[in-house]
């Protein structure tokens, strides 16, 4: 086994280390989600934590890690009566993003179950992680069907495997730790709420600290065992402190004052449900135990809020993470213990506020420079920009809204998502086929139908059924896939007229939010003036697209043909890179084409290229006013797609019944 990098040798990242240690002290905190850019020691710190975890007592020979003092009465390896216990190190089990359902929950040998009636069960990763750590790197890229299984196990503390009437159940209580890069997309809210704490990490901007990181990493790579040996004393000290904190934890008093502060803080930040209150209480108690105290103080409540609330407060995915610390301090002061002095009103400029210390760890360096709670305002009125006459500075986007779902027709085989129909390994059963390789999803009715005509030839004359391997049928299932959504946005002067661009940007931002929720890749092409440009190459980072959209200037003529041709080139390259991911082109324009010779005819020919290739398209018609030319609708017809107005795009609109996009190239549609 490779020597892990020592936990105490991680440079900086104090919030990350503290959150992990609090979970080691009190697993009831509920795990931690680590968000940050690549190369910030997220995975290194998580893997190093298992070395510090106290060992666990398990029943000898039990594959499900039952505790000798209280074994699981439904354990598949049980019953465990008078079975001796043994000690083993705590496990950190890693769940790969591309793991199958059987790898996660375990697998039944369906052939033996049918032919012999034997429950031959092979445990999965959930069984391995019981009473340990389940670590998911890039957890935001985990397929939806695996997320559903994790949610079920986390909620019930058990895993259930059911296949055609044969079922197995075993305990699965684990510490869920996930790491992710927000640029690759966000988590589903249901899974996000299952993480007790969240931490934002970033690489240090201090040269000396970066130098120290490089020195330690090079020393570890040259001699892992020697490097770990030099940190052995520090590791032992932290391990002993965890054990002491665990022993102290039951004696920590969570008083009414601290509970009031916790409840007031959760209410002030408008978190949903009561899980935040419970997690904050457990975290504050663990912080006190980690600091060697038997009473929860205001500083513990403050630190618990900074760790437990950022991912639970109501915000759009594109908002800055974190809490408004000024608001947090005001809430804690208002609902904290009151002094009996003559002046009950606190002095906001006076000293003595909580320092937000990390319960024995130094404060996280570099986090104090940002103020995520401060709103940023932009000029609403168009102002003359230095780029030339008729060109305007960026206009702020309007308020986003929930949109109607746009989808690609036909049946795809792309990456898992929530937009368009696709063949998947999960979802509803739509048919059957002969298995290719290992049988994973048995279609029982189709198997019986395949075996029934051959019973006489196989010597079966009475009741029962002789099933052979050739009779087995694999269930084919239909679910949803994510698509490549390419936004082609008109930023010309006609769009900026009458301050329409704010509403247009709000609509595109709403579509970006929809793409984020449906796990799409997005790209952004803009056109104005004399040409078009790729403002954002296709990516899974929809917040990057939102940032580019917000800073998008407007003005000039409308080179519609150039925008469509640029989009055609982007889609051509993406088909070569990722042929299974089907594209959906969303053109946001009023349909006017100006500039250059024969602009309308050129735009029509460019639209015909997309129609010939069967690209699913939607035109968001931004034309306003009493007199409308209907140019956007004509463009949609040439693209072979559909048009929808800004009002019809809103999901709450009664008149806007957006239908699935109708493609024209039938050869691109896949049969179900």
């Amino acid at each position: 086994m490779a020597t892990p990098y020592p936990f105490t040798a991680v440079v900086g990242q104090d919030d990350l280390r503290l959150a992990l240690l609090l979970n080691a002290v009190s697993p009831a905190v509920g795990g931690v989600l680590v968000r940050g850019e690549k190369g910030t020691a997220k995975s290194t710190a998580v893997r190093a934590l298992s070395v510090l975890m106290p060992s666990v007592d398990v029943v000898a020979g039990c594959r499900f890690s039952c505790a000798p003092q209280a074994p699981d009465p439904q354990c598949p390896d049980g019953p465990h009566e008078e079975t001796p216990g043994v000690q083993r190190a705590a496990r950190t089990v890693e769940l790969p993003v591309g793991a199958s359902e059987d790898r996660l929950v375990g697998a039944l040998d369906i052939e033996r179950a049918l032919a012999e009636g034997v429950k031959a069960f092979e445990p999965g990763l959930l069984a391995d992680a019981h009473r340990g750590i389940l670590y998911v790197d890039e957890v935001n890229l985990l397929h939806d069907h695996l997320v559903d299984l994790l949610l079920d196990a986390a909620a019930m503390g058990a895993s259930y495997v059911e296949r055609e009437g044969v079922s197995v159940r075993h305990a699965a209580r684990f510490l869920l730790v996930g790491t992710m890069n927000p640029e690759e997309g966000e988590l589903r809210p249901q899974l996000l709420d299952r993480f007790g704490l969240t931490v934002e990490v970033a690489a240090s901007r201090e040269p000396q600290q970066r130098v120290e990181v490089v020195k330690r990493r090079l020393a570890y790579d040259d001699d892992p065992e020697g490097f770990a040996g030099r940190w052995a004393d520090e590791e032992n000290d932290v391990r002993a402190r965890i054990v002491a904190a665990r022993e102290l934890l039951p004696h920590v008093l969570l008083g009414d004052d601290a509970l009031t502060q916790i409840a007031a803080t959760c209410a002030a930040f408008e978190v949903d449900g009561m899980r935040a209150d419970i997690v904050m209480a457990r975290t504050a108690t663990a912080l006190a135990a980690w600091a060697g105290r038997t009473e929860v103080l205001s500083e513990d409540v403050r630190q618990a809020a900074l760790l437990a609330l950022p991912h639970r407060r109501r915000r759009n995915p594109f908002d800055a993470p974190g809490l408004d610390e000024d608001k947090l301090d005001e809430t804690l002061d208002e609902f904290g213990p009151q002094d009996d002095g003559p002046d009950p009103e606190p002095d906001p400029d006076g000293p003595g506020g909580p320092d937000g210390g990390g319960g024995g760890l130094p404060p996280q360096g570099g986090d104090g420079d940002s103020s995520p709670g401060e709103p940023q305002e932009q000029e609403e009125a168009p102002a003359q920009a230095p780029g030339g006459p008729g060109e305007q500075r960026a206009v702020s986007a309007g308020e986003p809204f929930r949109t109607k779902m746009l989808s690609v027709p036909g049946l795809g085989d792309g990456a898992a998502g929530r937009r368009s129909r696709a063949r998947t390994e999960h979802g509803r059963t739509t048919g059957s086929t002969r298995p290719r390789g290992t049988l994973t999803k048995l279609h029982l009715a189709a198997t019986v139908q395949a075996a029934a005509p051959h019973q006489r030839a196989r010597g079966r004359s009475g009741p029962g059924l002789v099933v052979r391997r050739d009779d087995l049928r694999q269930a084919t299932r239909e679910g949803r896939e994510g698509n490549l959504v390419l936004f082609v946005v008109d930023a010309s002067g006609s769009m900026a007229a009458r301050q329409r661009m704010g509403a247009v940007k709000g609509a595109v931002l709403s579509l970006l939010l929809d793409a984020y929720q449906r796990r799409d890749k997005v790209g952004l092409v803009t056109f104005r003036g004399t040409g078009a440009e790729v403002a954002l190459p296709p990516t899974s980072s929809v917040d990057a697209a939102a940032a580019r959209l917000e800073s998008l200037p407007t003005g000039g003529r409308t080179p519609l043909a150039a925008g469509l041709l640029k989009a055609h080139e982007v889609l051509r390259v993406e088909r070569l890179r990722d042929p299974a991911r089907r594209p959906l082109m969303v053109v946001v324009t009023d349909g006017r084409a100006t500039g250059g010779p024969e602009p309308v005819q050129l735009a029509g020919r460019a639209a015909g290229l997309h129609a010939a290739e069967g690209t699913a398209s939607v035109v968001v018609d931004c034309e306003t006013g009493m007199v409308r030319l209907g140019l956007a609708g004509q463009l949609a017809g040439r693209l072979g797609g559909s048009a929808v107005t800004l009002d019809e795009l809103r999901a709450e609109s009664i008149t806007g019944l957006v239908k699935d996009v109708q493609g024209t190239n039938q050869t691109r549609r896949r049969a179900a």
Side-chain angles (χ1 to χ4, degrees), residues 12-16 200-202 362-368:
Q13 308 297 12
D14 300 313
D15 284 351
L16 168 59
E200 298 281 339
V201 297
Q364 172 75 12
D367 284 351

Side-chain angles (χ1 to χ4, degrees), residues 445-458:
T447 299
V448 172
Q449 288 176 355
H454 308 290
Q455 297 307 297
R456 186 180 298 276
R458 295 173 184 173

Side-chain angles (χ1 to χ4, degrees), residues 346-515:
D347 181 6
D349 298 325
D355 59 5
L361 284 176
Q364 172 75 12
D367 284 351
D369 294 333
S370 61
S371 299
E374 296 179 1
Q376 297 179 356
E377 297 185 359
Q378 291 183 316
E379 252 183 74
E380 289 292 338
Q384 193 69 25
E391 192 167 320
Q392 298 173 344
R393 292 193 182 97
V395 177
S396 295
E399 193 68 22
F401 52 84
R402 188 167 58 91
T403 69
K404 291 285 186 179
M405 190 184 79
L406 310 174
S407 63
V408 179
L411 199 63
D413 290 302
R418 304 187 189 95
R419 184 171 297 279
S420 304
R421 295 172 54 215
R423 298 183 186 88
T424 60
E425 293 185 357
H426 51 93
R428 64 185 183 90
T429 301
T430 57
S432 64
T433 184
R434 289 182 180 273
R436 297 178 181 178
T438 303
L439 178 69
T440 57
K441 301 287 185 182
L442 179 72
H443 195 297
L444 184 59
T447 299
V448 172
Q449 288 176 355
H454 308 290
Q455 297 307 297
R456 186 180 298 276
R458 295 173 184 173
R460 172 67 69 180
S461 58
L465 193 69
V466 176
V467 179
R468 295 180 178 174
R469 182 172 181 80
D470 290 344
D471 302 325
L472 298 178
R473 293 294 182 267
Q474 175 86 17
T476 57
R477 301 187 174 226
E478 182 179 306
R480 292 281 173 176
E481 67 176 358
N483 299 117
L484 165 62
V485 182
L486 182 63
F487 295 96
V488 185
V489 180
D490 183 350
S492 64
S494 65
M495 294 287 287
R498 294 185 295 278
Q499 297 184 349
R500 272 187 290 157
M501 202 60 197
V504 170
K505 285 187 176 183
V508 178
L509 182 62
S510 304
L511 291 166
L512 283 170
L513 282 165
D514 183 68

Side-chain angles (χ1 to χ4, degrees), residues 576-599:
L576 296 175
R577 290 176 176 171
D578 191 0
R581 190 181 287 270
R582 299 186 297 163
L584 170 64
M585 184 173 66
V586 180
V587 185
V588 185
T589 181
D590 56 10
R592 299 173 187 268
T594 59
E598 300 183 337

Side-chain angles (χ1 to χ4, degrees), residues 15-33:
D15 284 351
L16 168 59
R17 292 188 290 127
L18 177 61
L20 292 172
L21 289 171
L22 292 177
N23 277 277
V25 171
S26 175
V29 167
V32 59
L33 174 66

